Amino acid sequence: YPYVTGTSVVGVKYKDGILMASDMGASYGSTLRYKSVERMKPIGKHSLLGASGEISDFQEILRYLDELILYDNMWDDGNSLGPKEVHSYLTRVMYNRRNKFNPLWNSLVLGGVKNGKKYLGTVSMIGVHFEDNHVATGFGNHLARPILREEWREDLSYEDGVKLLEKCMRVLLYRDRSAVNKIQIAKITEEGVSISKPYSLRTFWEFNAFRNPTVGAEGSW
Amino acid sequence: MTKQHANWSPYDNNGGTCVAIAGADYCVIAADTRMSTGYNILTRDYSKICKLADKCLMASSGFQADVRALQKQLSARHLIYQHQHNKQMSCPAMAQLLSNTLYYKRFFPYYAFNVLGGLDTEGKGCVYTYDAVGSYERVGYSAQGSGATLITPFLDNQLKSPSPLLLPAKDAVTPLTEDEAVDLVKVVFASATERDIYTVSSCVYRVL
């Protein structure tokens, strides 16, 4: 069972690669215990992994991947594991653990670019996996994906992509109780990975719907 | 000591419907492209069809991770077969292999509802239909998955397959032409979509 958990991760494909966003919070049940947890990490040269769910399981996954990348580098054969391969590896690991009834309690988002081909995929804790133009975990599935379905287009520019992700993260911040207003946006392109410094989103709490949520339906929430 | 039982389930139903129809010298296999969990849609274009051998396609609905594992297992076994026998596996052979693979996990099943379609050794269309633990039967047409209950009666009506209990054994393949069968499949998916939330009318179909 999960103890310390991270909330959603959202990822989109854009013109030059993949953009991924997550906040830096980790909750201990209903306490927002840790507020500087990096839930996105680069993997090898070509991939970026974001995780929600149990943080300790995420750290263990990072250890598995470290070993995987180490062996890949030791071959020294000019080939390096691309995002598709890492995704496949993670899928097998997650599926295997669920087969032993001891799952890694995470939902992972794996994005990357290799040889010009962009890849964005996700794996859940029971091994369900797929790739798509935009993915999200946890609450992001409910709140962010509808926004992305409406507003995602092929060949988003970097600025548009960031704006889109910020919009999703803002909605999550308003409506997900385990979200924290300290987010990072990670970008991965053919050149490599860059994870932004943490920053806060501007929020607006004076919406009429917030001030008066039950207008038209007194007595409801 | 109280026994702690899992409050999470290792299974999930990712939905979807698969259909296959066998003809005199062709076989149509189709599967919809929606993958869902509970009331959410995970993705809108995921293909549930896998080419196992030259003349053999499998369409599976159910729990996607198990389906994928099953596809990988069978493809790997097929590769070994090719190395050992220097030829492709025939559809009936693959059918038996699938059944055995499923029964192997009888006590922790692959939550996959499969339809195998292809051409048999004589070039006639064949369709095999399975349950989750491997019992199978060669039929003239089949539907599996969330929309199966909607589709099967319709196919029964349109294709009038003879009873397998008849003697002498009557051939179950349909006399329809390939185009007519493809049209039928498209129509069938359109209808299933009307009433089944897990099925969309966007579907992938392959014809052998």
Side-chain angles (χ1 to χ4, degrees):
Chain A
Y1 280 116
Y3 287 104
V4 180
T5 55
T7 181
S8 349
V9 177
V10 187
V12 290
K13 276 191 194 165
Y14 80 109
K15 188 157 63 88
D16 306 320
I18 311 287
L19 280 171
M20 214 187 280
S22 77
D23 67 19
M24 299 198 73
S27 320
Y28 184 56
S30 49
T31 322
L32 292 176
R33 176 87 174 74
Y34 302 102
K35 299 199 192 156
S36 297
V37 178
E38 260 198 43
R39 295 190 292 112
M40 295 184 295
K41 294 283 185 191
I43 310 290
K45 284 200 289 263
H46 301 281
S47 326
L48 180 62
L49 175 66
S52 69
E54 174 62 58
I55 299 294
S56 62
D57 281 347
F58 176 49
Q59 290 168 342
E60 189 169 340
I61 290 173
L62 291 177
R63 271 196 288 275
Y64 283 147
L65 288 173
D66 273 343
E67 196 181 330
L68 183 74
I69 302 290
L70 184 68
Y71 276 114
D72 186 43
N73 289 337
M74 288 200 324
W75 281 112
D76 201 18
D77 57 1
N79 186 27
S80 50
L81 289 175
K84 197 159 201 260
E85 289 87 55
V86 178
H87 186 228
S88 190
Y89 176 78
L90 287 172
T91 309
R92 292 296 107 213
V93 167
M94 303 298 271
Y95 184 66
N96 218 275
R97 289 290 295 256
R98 84 104 198 174
N99 277 351
K100 297 193 250 193
F101 274 82
N102 182 17
L104 289 162
W105 208 281
N106 292 110
S107 286
L108 307 170
V109 173
L110 199 294
V113 190
K114 188 170 174 204
N115 296 335
K117 297 224 347 232
K118 302 180 279 226
Y119 184 90
L120 180 61
T122 183
V123 193
S124 80
M125 75 180 198
I126 44 174
V128 173
H129 62 280
F130 58 92
E131 53 160 326
D132 208 340
N133 294 320
H134 43 77
V135 295
T137 64
F139 262 93
N141 255 321
H142 293 98
L143 297 173
R145 281 201 85 195
I147 301 178
L148 293 170
R149 282 202 189 103
E150 278 296 300
E151 304 196 11
W152 184 87
R153 338 171 289 274
E154 198 68 57
D155 288 338
L156 278 171
S157 71
Y158 175 67
E159 291 77 24
D160 283 342
V162 171
K163 273 218 280 289
L164 189 54
L165 281 181
E166 282 187 352
K167 186 171 181 179
C168 294
M169 297 307 286
R170 189 168 297 120
V171 169
L172 286 168
L173 182 62
Y174 287 141
R175 293 293 178 180
D176 180 6
R177 74 134 185 223
S178 31
V180 162
N181 195 3
K182 189 172 171 195
I183 68 164
Q184 284 182 306
I185 304 234
K187 157 171 89 99
I188 179 165
T189 62
E190 191 73 54
E191 285 86 51
V193 179
S194 84
I195 305 186
S196 75
K197 286 219 275 288
Y199 65 99
S200 305
L201 293 169
R202 262 212 324 217
T203 60
F204 181 68
W205 297 95
E206 303 303 317
F207 286 116
N208 281 334
F210 286 171
R211 302 184 104 228
N212 211 359
T214 59
V215 75
E218 291 298 327
S220 88
W221 47 269
Chain B
M1 179 146 100
T2 53
K3 183 168 180 181
Q4 200 192 25
H5 61 265
N7 286 339
W8 68 280
S9 164
Y11 290 118
D12 190 15
N13 188 357
N14 299 117
T17 309
C18 310
V19 173
I21 301 180
D25 61 350
Y26 67 88
C27 184
V28 186
I29 297 118
D32 80 316
T33 58
R34 174 179 282 182
M35 189 159 96
S36 41
T37 170
Y39 281 122
N40 295 327
I41 298 178
L42 291 174
T43 185
R44 293 179 201 271
D45 64 285
Y46 182 80
S47 171
K48 301 194 220 337
I49 300 184
C50 175
K51 185 167 181 175
L52 295 176
D54 246 4
K55 299 273 192 304
C56 187
L57 294 159
M58 176 172 83
S60 322
S61 67
F63 175 42
Q64 190 254 3
D66 273 348
V67 163
R68 195 80 192 88
L70 190 59
Q71 288 172 350
K72 283 186 169 215
Q73 264 276 60
L74 293 172
S75 303
R77 289 297 305 273
H78 183 234
L79 194 59
I80 296 173
Y81 181 94
Q82 285 182 288
H83 287 150
Q84 290 176 337
H85 300 267
N86 198 20
K87 64 172 183 162
Q88 295 273 332
M89 255 172 119
S90 67
C91 198
M94 187 56 87
Q96 183 69 49
L97 179 63
L98 175 55
S99 171
N100 289 349
T101 311
L102 290 169
Y103 197 77
Y104 211 72
K105 293 239 297 160
R106 170 69 175 76
F107 300 109
F108 183 19
Y110 287 111
Y111 192 79
F113 300 102
N114 310 291
V115 172
L116 198 73
L119 301 174
D120 66 11
T121 42
E122 295 155 15
K124 281 197 352 220
C126 64
V127 169
Y128 294 88
T129 187
Y130 293 79
D131 72 355
V133 281
S135 82
Y136 77 113
E137 189 189 7
R138 179 171 177 172
V139 284
Y141 59 89
S142 165
Q144 285 279 4
S146 50
T149 46
L150 298 167
I151 294 176
T152 309
F154 182 66
L155 290 181
D156 283 338
N157 175 271
Q158 293 294 308
L159 297 174
K160 291 203 204 36
S161 195
S163 165
L165 298 168
L166 279 178
L167 283 174
K170 265 186 97 192
D171 207 359
V173 292
T174 171
L176 287 180
T177 68
E178 193 176 310
D179 290 322
E180 285 173 345
V182 169
D183 277 337
L184 182 60
V185 160
K186 290 186 192 174
V187 151
V188 143
F189 268 97
S191 324
T193 307
E194 298 283 328
R195 293 287 181 179
D196 178 21
I197 58 173
Y198 295 112
T199 305
V200 258
S201 56
S202 146
C203 73
V204 172
Y205 69 88
R206 305 277 164 76
V207 183
L208 278 179

